[in-house]
Amino acid sequence: MQKPTLPKGTRDFGPEQMSKRLFIFDTIRQTFKRFGFLPLETPAMENLSTLTGKYGDEGDQLLFKILNSGDFAANLTELDISSGYKKLTPKIAEKGLRYDLTVPFARYVVMNRNALAMPFKRYQMQPVWRADRPQKGRYREFYQCDADVVGTDSLICEAEIVLMIHEVFRNLGIQQFTLKINNRKILAGIAEAIGVPGQESTLSVAIDKLDKIGQEKVLDELRERGFSEDTITNLLPLFSFTELDIRQTLEQLKNWLAVSETAQKGIAELEETLQLVGVYGLLNSQIELDPTLARGLSYYTGAIFEVKANGVSIGSVSGGGRYDNLTGAFGMPGLSGVGISFGVDRIYDVMEELNLFPASTVQGTQVLIVPFDAEARRVALPLLSQLRVSDIAAEVYPDLAKIKKMLDYANAKSIPFVVLIGSEEVQTGLLTLKNMVTGEQRKVSVEEISNLIV
């Protein structure tokens, strides 16, 4: 007999876990709706032509490909097989699982552009898949909760993302977090200033690994990618901003990157975004301006965001940014957008580690009705309907079993109240309400039960 297993990097979620996950989903969804975003879903699979080329070389390698239906290898030749996976893949796989929700969203916008009111604001809460190496906080299947607005380049959108991030994490109970912010124009300007104009993507991919591998290995990777020692030396001021506040960081960036108009524009966008956040009246903002923040995805062109929970050894729990031409790949150039993504799985791990889930989150059934015989069911079932009409989660024990077995069932599910209905209860009309937490029992009428369940 085959032992059942799960693919590495995937997980089952039992009732207790799902209750906690739904708390996260509902909290994020409520914020998205308050900010005017509308719901959207796209298919789990997309054409590979839709996905490839949007995430950089490293992202493309993490795409899960889906083999064509039927005999996918029927027309392959020896030359095809020996030509390497990059040339072989299009011949055997035309589709792939989505890597994120942003590219499918861009595809959707282009396909439905004549039916959408611009700016278009949507939120999307669905799983994504990445062929990554599983480890703590990193899964092959995980959920993202995205909110994007396209059709405007107004920095009010960036300011609202800052506000949404603060609202979501504070409503989840994650009070200690840091929202890091940067601008890809600054990174492009750094590339110009250090003598490698146009290589900001290469620079960003390497810098994006700074937290994982450290400064020296980042510099080694840049050397491997052809950056000269002079260029590396010119880059070193980037790593000296860690002890500065936002105002000091902006001033030093202006001075260091004075030769780059691109960088100055990025700095100005950051300043305006932060000013708008101040106008909104955000209290106790937890923003950190981090010039080393890169967000390796190649489609970002403006502001970039990343959130980390403080005090836990888990990576970023949220990230996003501005993209000026993602829809251009689908034949609709010049449509600017900006978005944010919340990683539910990492947020869950953070809240578990910090014990932040409210006790009420996992409460399911509030009342178990226990009829002792067939006659008692004639009282139990109408009562069950009455409780549900009163919005009280209730269930009836389906079998006629021993009382101990039924009470053990209630304890196993942490059901706080049990209604016992035997022959005496049927005759008198007074039912036995047992508090499973305190052990207290009392006789009550059917009409009283709804008011006594708290």
Side-chain angles (χ1 to χ4, degrees):
M1 181 180 296
Q2 183 180 1
K3 182 180 179 181
T5 60
L6 281 173
K8 290 183 179 180
T10 66
R11 296 167 294 166
D12 289 323
F13 300 105
E16 180 178 342
Q17 292 169 304
M18 278 306 305
S19 297
K20 293 176 178 179
R21 287 169 65 83
L22 289 173
F23 172 76
I24 297 172
F25 284 124
D26 291 343
T27 300
I28 296 173
R29 183 182 290 108
Q30 288 164 11
T31 297
F32 286 166
K33 291 172 69 175
R34 274 194 291 272
F35 279 74
F37 290 84
L38 300 173
L40 177 70
E41 285 196 355
T42 59
M45 68 180 76
E46 296 275 353
N47 292 322
L48 276 178
S49 58
T50 297
L51 300 174
T52 53
K54 313 302 188 303
Y55 308 107
D57 290 340
E58 293 192 9
D60 283 353
Q61 292 176 25
L62 298 181
L63 292 173
F64 272 111
K65 286 83 172 177
I66 300 173
L67 290 174
N68 295 336
S69 302
D71 188 357
F72 60 88
N75 299 317
L76 293 180
T77 66
E78 292 289 341
L79 180 60
D80 291 330
I81 296 172
S82 62
S83 62
Y85 79 95
K86 287 188 178 180
K87 292 184 178 180
L88 176 62
T89 298
K91 297 179 184 295
I92 62 174
E94 298 172 353
K95 298 176 286 295
L97 296 178
R98 60 172 172 249
Y99 178 93
D100 71 354
L101 300 178
T102 306
V103 169
F105 169 57
R107 188 265 309 151
Y108 172 87
V109 169
V110 173
M111 291 181 66
N112 297 275
R113 56 187 177 274
N114 295 324
L116 300 177
M118 295 293 179
F120 177 55
K121 302 175 74 172
R122 81 84 171 87
Y123 75 85
Q124 196 168 344
M125 308 172 79
Q126 289 186 275
V128 299
W129 294 267
R130 298 183 185 178
D132 213 340
R133 183 172 64 85
Q135 53 187 293
K136 182 179 180 181
R138 188 181 296 274
Y139 307 100
R140 286 175 171 166
E141 179 187 62
F142 55 96
Y143 268 79
Q144 288 184 336
C145 298
D146 282 19
D148 289 78
V149 52
V150 296
T152 174
D153 57 8
S154 170
L155 295 176
I156 283 180
C157 299
E158 276 84 341
E160 293 224 308
I161 282 178
V162 171
L163 296 177
M164 280 202 303
I165 289 170
H166 281 76
E167 179 172 315
V168 164
F169 285 103
R170 288 172 178 174
N171 287 347
L172 288 171
I174 303 174
Q175 303 295 338
Q176 302 302 318
F177 66 89
T178 300
L179 165 56
K180 293 188 176 185
I181 185 172
N182 196 17
N183 194 297
R184 286 294 278 266
K185 293 183 179 71
I186 293 175
L187 291 169
I190 290 172
E192 293 175 5
I194 67 175
V196 285
Q199 294 195 46
E200 59 269 17
S201 292
T202 302
L203 185 64
S204 297
V205 168
I207 292 174
D208 193 42
K209 302 173 184 176
L210 184 62
D211 285 349
K212 303 180 185 73
I213 64 177
Q215 178 180 330
E216 289 306 316
K217 289 187 177 179
V218 166
L219 298 180
D220 288 341
E221 180 171 326
L222 290 173
R223 291 184 181 98
E224 291 173 4
R225 292 174 176 264
F227 281 49
S228 69
E229 288 303 321
D230 286 344
T231 300
I232 297 294
T233 300
N234 293 338
L235 180 64
L236 293 180
L238 176 63
F239 306 103
S240 64
F241 292 91
T242 53
E243 302 299 323
L244 305 180
D245 61 25
I246 291 177
R247 182 186 59 79
Q248 292 170 326
T249 300
L250 287 169
E251 288 304 314
Q252 288 211 15
L253 284 172
K254 287 178 184 178
N255 294 331
W256 179 38
L257 304 175
V259 298
S260 171
E261 291 184 13
T262 304
Q264 296 302 317
K265 184 176 181 181
I267 294 168
E269 289 178 3
L270 275 180
E271 286 183 312
E272 184 176 346
T273 298
L274 294 171
Q275 288 168 1
L276 288 168
V277 169
V279 173
Y280 270 107
L282 177 65
L283 298 177
N284 302 316
S285 71
Q286 291 165 256
I287 304 170
E288 176 186 314
L289 176 53
D290 182 2
T292 67
L293 178 63
R295 302 291 299 169
L297 297 179
S298 61
Y299 53 67
Y300 290 128
T301 55
I304 44 179
F305 310 95
E306 187 168 275
V307 183
K308 292 191 175 182
N310 302 336
V312 294
S313 57
I314 294 172
S316 63
V317 292
S318 179
R322 166 74 64 174
Y323 42 89
D324 283 336
N325 197 32
L326 189 58
T327 56
F330 304 114
M332 190 178 178
L335 190 67
S336 186
V338 63
I340 190 67
S341 178
F342 294 91
V344 170
D345 299 84
R346 288 190 177 182
I347 291 173
Y348 180 99
D349 290 344
V350 168
M351 294 184 68
E352 276 285 86
E353 186 169 332
L354 299 179
N355 195 28
L356 295 177
F357 285 105
S360 59
T361 300
V362 297
Q363 180 61 58
T365 301
Q366 294 173 273
V367 184
L368 174 68
I369 302 176
V370 174
F372 291 176
D373 52 36
E375 187 64 23
R377 283 178 173 170
R378 299 177 65 85
V379 177
L381 298 185
L383 173 60
L384 186 64
S385 296
Q386 176 186 318
L387 291 171
R388 289 170 176 168
V389 168
S390 301
D391 200 28
I392 295 173
E395 60 179 289
V396 63
Y397 195 85
D399 300 320
L400 299 178
K402 292 183 178 180
I403 182 66
K404 182 179 185 305
K405 182 177 181 180
M406 294 187 281
L407 294 180
D408 286 346
Y409 175 81
N411 283 325
K413 292 188 67 175
S414 298
I415 299 174
F417 293 96
V418 171
V419 177
L420 304 169
I421 307 176
S423 56
E424 179 184 341
E425 283 79 10
V426 171
Q427 291 173 8
T428 64
L430 293 177
L431 311 183
T432 301
L433 178 65
K434 182 179 179 66
N435 185 317
M436 297 298 289
V437 178
T438 65
E440 177 190 2
Q441 291 188 183
R442 60 192 298 188
K443 295 288 188 178
V444 296
S445 68
V446 170
E447 293 74 21
E448 291 178 296
I449 287 181
S450 294
N451 295 328
L452 293 172
I453 304 301
V454 292

